[in-house]
mmCIF file of all heavy atoms in Angstrom:
data_model
loop_
_atom_site.group_PDB
_atom_site.id
_atom_site.type_symbol
_atom_site.label_atom_id
_atom_site.label_comp_id
_atom_site.label_asym_id
_atom_site.label_seq_id
_atom_site.Cartn_x
_atom_site.Cartn_y
_atom_site.Cartn_z
ATOM 1 N N GLY A 557 -4.869 15.011 26.405
ATOM 2 C CA GLY A 557 -4.980 15.736 27.709
ATOM 3 C C GLY A 557 -5.159 14.784 28.908
ATOM 4 O O GLY A 557 -5.606 13.667 28.717
ATOM 5 N N SER A 558 -4.833 15.228 30.086
ATOM 6 C CA SER A 558 -5.143 14.447 31.264
ATOM 7 C C SER A 558 -6.417 14.944 31.900
ATOM 8 O O SER A 558 -6.546 16.072 32.076
ATOM 9 C CB SER A 558 -3.908 14.808 32.252
ATOM 10 O OG SER A 558 -2.734 14.222 31.810
ATOM 11 N N LEU A 559 -7.201 13.982 32.218
ATOM 12 C CA LEU A 559 -8.512 14.220 32.826
ATOM 13 C C LEU A 559 -8.595 13.604 34.237
ATOM 14 O O LEU A 559 -8.299 12.476 34.434
ATOM 15 C CB LEU A 559 -9.619 13.632 31.897
ATOM 16 C CG LEU A 559 -9.658 14.096 30.473
ATOM 17 C CD1 LEU A 559 -10.855 13.417 29.740
ATOM 18 C CD2 LEU A 559 -9.915 15.578 30.352
ATOM 19 N N ALA A 560 -9.136 14.438 35.139
ATOM 20 C CA ALA A 560 -9.555 13.902 36.431
ATOM 21 C C ALA A 560 -10.863 13.141 36.227
ATOM 22 O O ALA A 560 -11.575 13.479 35.214
ATOM 23 C CB ALA A 560 -9.668 14.970 37.424
ATOM 24 N N VAL A 561 -11.268 12.285 37.152
ATOM 25 C CA VAL A 561 -12.607 11.667 36.933
ATOM 26 C C VAL A 561 -13.665 12.707 36.857
ATOM 27 O O VAL A 561 -13.703 13.643 37.681
ATOM 28 C CB VAL A 561 -12.828 10.662 38.211
ATOM 29 C CG1 VAL A 561 -14.205 10.148 38.190
ATOM 30 C CG2 VAL A 561 -11.778 9.581 38.194
ATOM 31 N N GLY A 562 -14.487 12.559 35.908
ATOM 32 C CA GLY A 562 -15.611 13.457 35.686
ATOM 33 C C GLY A 562 -15.229 14.740 34.832
ATOM 34 O O GLY A 562 -16.217 15.486 34.379
ATOM 35 N N GLU A 563 -14.039 14.733 34.552
ATOM 36 C CA GLU A 563 -13.534 15.985 33.753
ATOM 37 C C GLU A 563 -13.787 15.659 32.287
ATOM 38 O O GLU A 563 -13.718 14.532 31.863
ATOM 39 C CB GLU A 563 -12.140 16.251 34.068
ATOM 40 C CG GLU A 563 -11.687 17.700 33.707
ATOM 41 C CD GLU A 563 -10.201 18.008 34.065
ATOM 42 O OE1 GLU A 563 -9.615 17.098 34.749
ATOM 43 O OE2 GLU A 563 -9.753 19.113 33.719
ATOM 44 N N ARG A 564 -13.857 16.766 31.480
ATOM 45 C CA ARG A 564 -14.137 16.510 30.042
ATOM 46 C C ARG A 564 -13.056 17.195 29.190
ATOM 47 O O ARG A 564 -12.381 18.156 29.524
ATOM 48 C CB ARG A 564 -15.480 17.163 29.633
ATOM 49 C CG ARG A 564 -16.675 16.376 30.118
ATOM 50 C CD ARG A 564 -17.926 16.826 29.435
ATOM 51 N NE ARG A 564 -19.066 16.252 30.004
ATOM 52 C CZ ARG A 564 -20.395 16.385 29.651
ATOM 53 N NH1 ARG A 564 -20.553 17.158 28.523
ATOM 54 N NH2 ARG A 564 -21.381 15.739 30.229
ATOM 55 N N MET A 565 -12.898 16.671 27.933
ATOM 56 C CA MET A 565 -11.960 17.114 26.997
ATOM 57 C C MET A 565 -12.711 17.261 25.615
ATOM 58 O O MET A 565 -13.597 16.434 25.252
ATOM 59 C CB MET A 565 -10.795 16.117 26.847
ATOM 60 C CG MET A 565 -9.749 16.511 25.811
ATOM 61 S SD MET A 565 -8.220 15.410 26.095
ATOM 62 C CE MET A 565 -8.636 13.991 25.252
ATOM 63 N N HIS A 566 -12.536 18.304 24.993
ATOM 64 C CA HIS A 566 -13.309 18.625 23.691
ATOM 65 C C HIS A 566 -12.490 18.532 22.409
ATOM 66 O O HIS A 566 -11.267 18.852 22.416
ATOM 67 C CB HIS A 566 -13.871 20.010 23.770
ATOM 68 C CG HIS A 566 -14.701 20.253 25.071
ATOM 69 N ND1 HIS A 566 -16.009 19.763 25.244
ATOM 70 C CD2 HIS A 566 -14.336 20.739 26.281
ATOM 71 C CE1 HIS A 566 -16.416 20.020 26.488
ATOM 72 N NE2 HIS A 566 -15.364 20.619 27.158
ATOM 73 N N LEU A 567 -13.097 18.048 21.456
ATOM 74 C CA LEU A 567 -12.412 18.099 20.003
ATOM 75 C C LEU A 567 -13.552 18.154 18.973
ATOM 76 O O LEU A 567 -14.407 17.218 18.877
ATOM 77 C CB LEU A 567 -11.595 16.730 19.919
ATOM 78 C CG LEU A 567 -10.873 16.657 18.576
ATOM 79 C CD1 LEU A 567 -9.741 17.674 18.440
ATOM 80 C CD2 LEU A 567 -10.271 15.252 18.414
ATOM 81 N N GLY A 568 -13.541 19.235 18.260
ATOM 82 C CA GLY A 568 -14.642 19.411 17.375
ATOM 83 C C GLY A 568 -15.955 19.485 17.923
ATOM 84 O O GLY A 568 -16.116 20.068 19.032
ATOM 85 N N SER A 569 -16.905 18.633 17.404
ATOM 86 C CA SER A 569 -18.308 18.646 18.073
ATOM 87 C C SER A 569 -18.278 17.551 19.140
ATOM 88 O O SER A 569 -19.359 17.311 19.752
ATOM 89 C CB SER A 569 -19.238 18.477 16.990
ATOM 90 O OG SER A 569 -18.937 17.240 16.265
ATOM 91 N N TYR A 570 -17.238 16.899 19.350
ATOM 92 C CA TYR A 570 -17.220 15.714 20.311
ATOM 93 C C TYR A 570 -16.570 16.156 21.619
ATOM 94 O O TYR A 570 -15.695 17.130 21.719
ATOM 95 C CB TYR A 570 -16.479 14.571 19.740
ATOM 96 C CG TYR A 570 -17.159 13.887 18.626
ATOM 97 C CD1 TYR A 570 -16.799 14.211 17.320
ATOM 98 C CD2 TYR A 570 -18.303 12.965 18.841
ATOM 99 C CE1 TYR A 570 -17.456 13.625 16.185
ATOM 100 C CE2 TYR A 570 -18.907 12.372 17.765
ATOM 101 C CZ TYR A 570 -18.454 12.721 16.408
ATOM 102 O OH TYR A 570 -19.119 12.174 15.406
ATOM 103 N N SER A 571 -16.975 15.438 22.651
ATOM 104 C CA SER A 571 -16.186 15.680 23.916
ATOM 105 C C SER A 571 -16.272 14.299 24.647
ATOM 106 O O SER A 571 -17.103 13.495 24.518
ATOM 107 C CB SER A 571 -16.803 16.741 24.820
ATOM 108 O OG SER A 571 -18.170 16.662 24.925
ATOM 109 N N ILE A 572 -15.290 14.106 25.434
ATOM 110 C CA ILE A 572 -15.168 12.883 26.218
ATOM 111 C C ILE A 572 -15.070 13.155 27.755
ATOM 112 O O ILE A 572 -14.501 14.102 28.117
ATOM 113 C CB ILE A 572 -14.027 11.930 25.775
ATOM 114 C CG1 ILE A 572 -12.777 12.551 25.942
ATOM 115 C CG2 ILE A 572 -14.292 11.433 24.429
ATOM 116 C CD1 ILE A 572 -11.481 11.640 25.770
ATOM 117 N N GLU A 573 -15.507 12.273 28.442
ATOM 118 C CA GLU A 573 -15.582 12.437 29.986
ATOM 119 C C GLU A 573 -14.923 11.170 30.535
ATOM 120 O O GLU A 573 -15.452 10.050 30.310
ATOM 121 C CB GLU A 573 -16.965 12.596 30.500
ATOM 122 C CG GLU A 573 -17.074 12.850 31.949
ATOM 123 C CD GLU A 573 -18.560 12.902 32.399
ATOM 124 O OE1 GLU A 573 -19.100 11.702 32.497
ATOM 125 O OE2 GLU A 573 -19.124 13.893 32.649
ATOM 126 N N TYR A 574 -13.951 11.309 31.436
ATOM 127 C CA TYR A 574 -13.355 10.179 32.055
ATOM 128 C C TYR A 574 -14.229 9.754 33.237
ATOM 129 O O TYR A 574 -14.523 10.558 34.117
ATOM 130 C CB TYR A 574 -11.942 10.635 32.533
ATOM 131 C CG TYR A 574 -11.181 9.554 33.357
ATOM 132 C CD1 TYR A 574 -11.264 8.271 33.101
ATOM 133 C CD2 TYR A 574 -10.450 9.974 34.463
ATOM 134 C CE1 TYR A 574 -10.461 7.314 33.854
ATOM 135 C CE2 TYR A 574 -9.745 9.127 35.295
ATOM 136 C CZ TYR A 574 -9.813 7.733 35.009
ATOM 137 O OH TYR A 574 -9.107 6.852 35.740
ATOM 138 N N GLU A 575 -14.595 8.479 33.189
ATOM 139 C CA GLU A 575 -15.407 7.962 34.284
ATOM 140 C C GLU A 575 -14.841 7.115 35.295
ATOM 141 O O GLU A 575 -14.836 7.319 36.493
ATOM 142 C CB GLU A 575 -16.658 7.175 33.702
ATOM 143 C CG GLU A 575 -17.697 6.696 34.601
ATOM 144 C CD GLU A 575 -18.942 6.005 34.129
ATOM 145 O OE1 GLU A 575 -19.518 6.652 33.118
ATOM 146 O OE2 GLU A 575 -19.096 4.922 34.488
ATOM 147 N N SER A 576 -14.014 6.104 34.779
ATOM 148 C CA SER A 576 -13.330 5.308 35.681
ATOM 149 C C SER A 576 -12.229 4.449 35.013
ATOM 150 O O SER A 576 -12.262 4.428 33.743
ATOM 151 C CB SER A 576 -14.320 4.292 36.351
ATOM 152 O OG SER A 576 -14.927 3.447 35.378
ATOM 153 N N LEU A 577 -11.425 3.707 35.794
ATOM 154 C CA LEU A 577 -10.413 2.933 35.210
ATOM 155 C C LEU A 577 -10.333 1.601 36.029
ATOM 156 O O LEU A 577 -10.336 1.712 37.323
ATOM 157 C CB LEU A 577 -9.024 3.564 35.149
ATOM 158 C CG LEU A 577 -7.922 2.808 34.412
ATOM 159 C CD1 LEU A 577 -7.248 3.730 33.506
ATOM 160 C CD2 LEU A 577 -6.974 2.254 35.379
ATOM 161 N N ALA A 578 -10.217 0.513 35.408
ATOM 162 C CA ALA A 578 -10.188 -0.801 36.115
ATOM 163 C C ALA A 578 -8.977 -1.642 35.682
ATOM 164 O O ALA A 578 -8.607 -1.567 34.457
ATOM 165 C CB ALA A 578 -11.398 -1.617 35.914
ATOM 166 N N GLU A 579 -8.293 -2.233 36.587
ATOM 167 C CA GLU A 579 -7.106 -3.107 36.224
ATOM 168 C C GLU A 579 -7.442 -4.507 36.517
ATOM 169 O O GLU A 579 -7.893 -4.775 37.701
ATOM 170 C CB GLU A 579 -5.892 -2.596 36.944
ATOM 171 C CG GLU A 579 -4.617 -3.409 36.551
ATOM 172 C CD GLU A 579 -3.445 -2.701 37.186
ATOM 173 O OE1 GLU A 579 -3.116 -2.972 38.354
ATOM 174 O OE2 GLU A 579 -2.751 -1.918 36.485
ATOM 175 N N PHE A 580 -7.238 -5.521 35.650
ATOM 176 C CA PHE A 580 -7.577 -6.893 35.945
ATOM 177 C C PHE A 580 -6.632 -7.719 35.101
ATOM 178 O O PHE A 580 -6.110 -7.296 34.017
ATOM 179 C CB PHE A 580 -8.989 -7.269 35.717
ATOM 180 C CG PHE A 580 -9.538 -6.830 34.322
ATOM 181 C CD1 PHE A 580 -9.485 -7.725 33.280
ATOM 182 C CD2 PHE A 580 -9.972 -5.554 34.120
ATOM 183 C CE1 PHE A 580 -9.984 -7.291 32.121
ATOM 184 C CE2 PHE A 580 -10.505 -5.164 32.937
ATOM 185 C CZ PHE A 580 -10.485 -6.076 31.791
ATOM 186 N N GLU A 581 -6.509 -9.027 35.418
ATOM 187 C CA GLU A 581 -5.733 -9.977 34.716
ATOM 188 C C GLU A 581 -6.669 -10.888 33.919
ATOM 189 O O GLU A 581 -7.810 -11.129 34.398
ATOM 190 C CB GLU A 581 -4.879 -10.834 35.698
ATOM 191 C CG GLU A 581 -3.734 -10.000 36.207
ATOM 192 C CD GLU A 581 -2.805 -10.811 36.971
ATOM 193 O OE1 GLU A 581 -3.180 -11.860 37.562
ATOM 194 O OE2 GLU A 581 -1.621 -10.428 37.250
ATOM 195 N N THR A 582 -6.113 -11.382 32.841
ATOM 196 C CA THR A 582 -7.001 -12.325 31.960
ATOM 197 C C THR A 582 -6.348 -13.691 31.936
ATOM 198 O O THR A 582 -5.141 -13.818 32.109
ATOM 199 C CB THR A 582 -7.215 -11.793 30.572
ATOM 200 O OG1 THR A 582 -5.861 -11.689 29.932
ATOM 201 C CG2 THR A 582 -7.842 -10.466 30.521
ATOM 202 N N PRO A 583 -7.130 -14.703 31.690
ATOM 203 C CA PRO A 583 -6.577 -16.098 31.641
ATOM 204 C C PRO A 583 -5.447 -16.257 30.572
ATOM 205 O O PRO A 583 -4.565 -17.233 30.731
ATOM 206 C CB PRO A 583 -7.730 -17.018 31.344
ATOM 207 C CG PRO A 583 -8.909 -16.187 31.565
ATOM 208 C CD PRO A 583 -8.470 -14.726 31.400
ATOM 209 N N ASP A 584 -5.440 -15.408 29.490
ATOM 210 C CA ASP A 584 -4.412 -15.519 28.422
ATOM 211 C C ASP A 584 -3.158 -14.804 28.749
ATOM 212 O O ASP A 584 -2.350 -14.561 27.887
ATOM 213 C CB ASP A 584 -4.965 -15.282 27.087
ATOM 214 C CG ASP A 584 -5.482 -13.797 27.053
ATOM 215 O OD1 ASP A 584 -5.515 -13.133 28.068
ATOM 216 O OD2 ASP A 584 -5.874 -13.367 25.944
#
Side-chain angles (χ1 to χ4, degrees):
Chain A
S558 292
L559 301 179
V561 171
E563 200 178 355
R564 286 192 189 185
M565 179 165 81
H566 306 278
L567 183 65
S569 56
Y570 293 97
S571 51
I572 59 169
E573 180 188 78
Y574 172 42
E575 186 177 303
S576 63
L577 185 131
E579 187 171 80
F580 53 92
E581 289 185 333
T582 60
D584 59 353

